[in-house]
Amino acid sequence: MTTIHELGTPSALIDTQRMERNIRRMQDRMRALGVRFRPHAKTTKCLPVVQAQIAAGAQGITVSTLKEAEQFFEAGIQDILYAVGIVPGKLVQALALRQRGCHLTIITDSVAAAREIGRFGVAHGAVFDVWIEIDTDGHRSGIKPEEDALLQVAEVLQDAGMVVGGVLTHAGSSYDHDDPQALRAISEQERAGAVRAAQRLREAGFACPVVSIGSTPTALAAEHLEGVTEVRAGVYVFFDLVMRNVGVCSMDDIALSVLTTVIGHQEEKGWAIVDAGWMAMSRDRGTQKQRQDFGFGQACSEDGAVLEGYTLSGANQEHGILSRAGGPDGRIAERFPIGARLRILPNHACATGAQHPEYHAIAADGRAEAWPRFYGW
Amino acid sequence: MTTIHELGTPSALIDTQRMERNIRRMQDRMRALGVRFRPHAKTTKCLPVVQAQIAAGAQGITVSTLKEAEQFFEAGIQDILYAVGIVPGKLVQALALRQRGCHLTIITDSVAAAREIGRFGVAHGAVFDVWIEIDTDGHRSGIKPEEDALLQVAEVLQDAGMVVGGVLTHAGSSYDHDDPQALRAISEQERAGAVRAAQRLREAGFACPVVSIGSTPTALAAEHLEGVTEVRAGVYVFFDLVMRNVGVCSMDDIALSVLTTVIGHQEEKGWAIVDAGWMAMSRDRGTQKQRQDFGFGQACSEDGAVLEGYTLSGANQEHGILSRAGGPDGRIAERFPIGARLRILPNHACATGAQHPEYHAIAADGRAEAWPRFYGW
């Protein structure tokens, strides 16, 4: 049996109690709002986490790469939404998954791509289930709910014999806010835009059974989800400092941290040097423009107690600089001697997880279990 | 035979001609300056790259993790410097490497750590070769050349029977400059500080045979290296946009890029969406505070021609936003249609490489060969 105290550093830790609580919170909320929940597996790329999400009631998963689809399908998950606009070059891989029995849904937001999907489908005798991506906040991809292109894409797909299975949107701009009222407004804008797009498709004769929305902040801020059939969210399973600043979780909900060891000091500067640099934390500085900047992460004791004011103020590849906000700590070397172990809460759980080949799931009694994650494309 | 045109996207590409030219440039320079060269393998973590560096004349390597040491030692490289201050908890792993025949050098910058090394060495009958880390620019770790601690550390090590093999420094602050004169000054400060520390040790009776300095900018800016015995540098092998802004390479020297495909557009904004987001580029925004900000990377055609003014202005996990600096391109969809393939030059080669399980080494004739890299600790 391995315990947290025997792990090498740096290591990525999952507080499984917090993770389970986060999963329950989201699933209970979705149940109360009357919608299905389809977690985004891109945050963790880790089977035991996704299995916990499904055990709690999730129906199907969302992925950001076809590699994720392949890995999770091989592990027995059948209902998979690949939520990045498909390009012609990836249709061979998508078809192979469908031919193996995976219920893979693909998405598009352009007539050009829809034509390619149709052409490829016809050429290979394949019927793809395609959802149309809707843009409700100008954040990234998608067709606006009132644009002509919406119906054109649906027609191109239908004419080629593809299934227009639904619409989906992602209000990524919700990450830029920290006011509950603003979050409720973006959530309502996301809901209303997706529902309106579905309504236009239905008026034009398309069944459009699915209306899929989501992001962690909007999922947690929504007052009602009338007309929506499913919600997607990813980072809620671990939460992170960005989400804490957005206001949808507290520091005590953050389930991911990086275990690190103090390797040196620059006492006159009030620095402790730790072995978690940006390779372990990622280069994500997502809190830089938020109401509280945590540098490269918030320091906690090895058992997880937040060390108020101590953050990773700098990071090189394998060196982190731990210092006190608001003035150097003249007793830093005494407080954190060489060999002392700390946990660092990350800015962005998706980015930090991606730096590690495995998580170490820490149970309530301190037992550590290795949970592998995969990466690449 | 695979060619670049058959590779899936996103993929990390190495232009091997540029890489070979970068390797020769550095090695020739070190030869002219009369010093040994010990490349830092943390940039690539890739055996074929390191083998090319050694074939060109490098003597030994530098690593940033003991995993790198283990991997390269297993591949036949014996002279390895672990250039991150050792903590007691990692001495078991370091000893195991030495017992297998690896000439592993470790470093320290404190009396506390030196005591632990000595205690551990005595307890296990091991003689570690230890170099003392010197701080010449206040950038990170190290003892200042004139500090009392320098001699104290050496004495503690010697008293325990360890070998005080040398001093080393890393002028990381050189990355913050872009003026040749300033770079020469930092380079001279790095050289002089390391030589002075060695002089103090020698005056106190320590042989201190090695004086090791280095960073890519200072290695390329140094006018002379009197008293220095070896130089370390990592990123020079690929270079990147940060180094281009520092002024030590041109855009045409950058050997690493990410191959990507256009997956959609937001025409009214002048955006093309590509399948290289921050997962493929890393979250490194190193050019943000430099003289030219390249966003998440500089776009090039698939064959590598720089597309002046087109950068990745934004990035989500698997989506990059390609746009034109200085005003939206109204013909973006025509210029970069869905399915078009581009290369993106990265801000920071160490960070971008770390996102990929393998590089694809592209030869002059377009042939692609997979070169695996490893990650984790």
Side-chain angles (χ1 to χ4, degrees), chain B residues 59-127:
Chain B
Q59 293 175 272
I61 63 169
T62 316
V63 299
S64 68
T65 65
L66 287 173
K67 177 161 183 178
E68 288 164 57
E70 285 161 356
Q71 297 272 323
F72 287 114
F73 175 66
E74 276 160 26
I77 296 168
Q78 312 237 332
D79 178 2
I80 301 179
L81 165 67
Y82 171 47
V84 176
I86 190 97
V87 279
K90 288 175 182 161
L91 286 166
V92 173
Q93 212 181 337
L95 179 61
L97 270 164
R98 287 187 66 94
Q99 285 172 336
R100 291 167 63 196
C102 178
H103 183 176
L104 180 78
T105 301
I106 59 176
I107 72 168
T108 187
D109 69 350
S110 73
V111 170
R115 281 209 187 99
E116 297 282 354
I117 295 166
R119 207 172 290 153
F120 183 92
V122 168
H124 294 83
V127 178

Side-chain angles (χ1 to χ4, degrees), chain A residues 61-74:
Chain A
I61 63 169
T62 315
V63 298
S64 68
T65 65
L66 288 173
K67 178 162 184 176
E68 288 164 57
E70 286 162 356
Q71 297 272 324
F72 287 114
F73 175 66
E74 276 160 26

Side-chain angles (χ1 to χ4, degrees), chain A residues 89-101:
Chain A
K90 289 176 183 162
L91 286 165
V92 173
Q93 211 181 338
L95 178 60
L97 270 164
R98 286 188 67 92
Q99 285 172 337
R100 291 166 63 197

Side-chain angles (χ1 to χ4, degrees), chain B residues 253-268:
Chain B
D253 294 324
I254 301 176
L256 179 67
S257 61
V258 174
L259 187 67
T260 187
T261 304
V262 175
I263 65 172
H265 303 93
Q266 291 287 15
E267 289 194 56
E268 78 286 2

Side-chain angles (χ1 to χ4, degrees), chain A residues 30 47 58 74 76 80 146 169 172 191 193 200 203 211 235 270 279 300 304 312 332 372:
Chain A
M30 294 303 110
L47 187 61
E74 276 160 26
I80 301 178
E146 302 295 344
T169 188
R191 183 203 69 80
R200 285 188 65 215
E203 283 167 6
V211 178
V235 77
M279 189 62 86
C300 303
L312 283 196
I332 192 99

Side-chain angles (χ1 to χ4, degrees), chain A residues 53-360:
Chain A
Q53 291 168 310
I54 288 171
Q59 292 174 273
I61 63 169
T62 315
V63 298
S64 68
T65 65
L66 288 173
K67 178 162 184 176
E68 288 164 57
E70 286 162 356
Q71 297 272 324
F72 287 114
F73 175 66
E74 276 160 26
I77 296 167
Q78 312 238 331
D79 178 1
I80 301 178
L81 165 68
Y82 170 47
V84 176
I86 190 98
V87 278
K90 289 176 183 162
L91 286 165
V92 173
Q93 211 181 338
L95 178 60
L97 270 164
R98 286 188 67 92
Q99 285 172 337
R100 291 166 63 197
C102 177
H103 183 177
L104 179 78
T105 301
I106 58 176
I107 72 167
T108 187
D109 69 350
S110 74
V111 170
R115 282 211 185 98
E116 296 282 353
I117 295 167
R119 207 172 290 153
F120 183 93
V122 168
H124 295 83
V127 178
F128 284 103
D129 180 8
V130 189
W131 295 359
I132 302 176
E133 187 172 10
I134 308 300
D135 176 16
T136 59
D137 65 350
H139 174 68
R140 192 171 68 193
S141 304
I143 300 171
K144 286 181 192 55
E146 302 295 344
E147 270 183 277
D148 294 344
L150 175 64
L151 301 183
Q152 290 163 9
V153 167
E155 278 154 21
V156 166
L157 290 170
Q158 184 170 266
D159 288 354
M162 306 297 117
V163 173
V164 181
V167 291
L168 91 165
T169 188
H170 166 62
S173 67
S174 61
Y175 283 53
D176 302 334
H177 295 269
D178 60 6
D179 169 60
Q181 204 174 330
L183 286 175
R184 280 195 295 273
I186 290 168
S187 180
E188 174 55 18
Q189 174 181 294
E190 180 185 47
R191 183 203 69 80
V195 170
R196 171 63 186 148
Q199 183 194 15
R200 285 188 65 215
L201 285 167
R202 287 169 191 154
E203 283 167 6
F206 299 94
C208 190
V210 173
V211 178
S212 175
I213 67 154
S215 76
T216 289
T218 54
L220 294 172
E223 291 183 296
H224 74 92
L225 289 175
E226 209 181 311
V228 169
T229 65
E230 70 163 36
V231 168
R232 309 177 323 279
V235 77
Y236 80 96
V237 68
F238 289 160
F239 286 121
D240 53 29
L241 295 168
V242 165
M243 286 297 114
R244 181 267 181 195
N245 275 344
V246 168
V248 294
C249 72
S250 74
M251 206 77 105
D252 294 340
D253 294 324
I254 301 176
L256 179 67
S257 61
V258 173
L259 187 67
T260 187
T261 304
V262 175
I263 65 172
H265 303 94
Q266 291 286 15
E267 290 194 54
E268 79 287 5
K269 292 180 181 157
W271 291 357
I273 312 288
V274 300
D275 68 356
W278 60 252
M279 189 62 86
M281 298 308 304
S282 91
R283 297 275 331 182
D284 197 295
R285 285 286 288 107
T287 57
Q288 190 170 20
K289 289 179 180 170
Q290 292 188 307
R291 59 180 154 145
Q292 188 169 351
D293 184 352
F294 291 97
F296 285 88
Q298 168 67 49
C300 303
S301 62
E302 187 176 13
D303 63 4
V306 172
L307 299 168
E308 207 64 57
Y310 290 89
T311 62
L312 283 196
S313 54
N316 290 170
Q317 187 160 334
E318 298 290 348
H319 297 78
I321 294 174
L322 175 71
S323 65
R324 188 173 64 188
D329 177 358
R331 298 172 65 188
I332 192 99
E334 197 178 319
R335 195 182 298 273
F336 306 120
I338 287 176
R341 288 155 69 98
L342 301 165
R343 292 192 201 190
I344 313 292
L345 302 177
N347 284 321
H348 186 176
C350 307
T352 301
Q355 303 297 110
H356 295 262
E358 60 189 3
Y359 299 109
H360 298 275

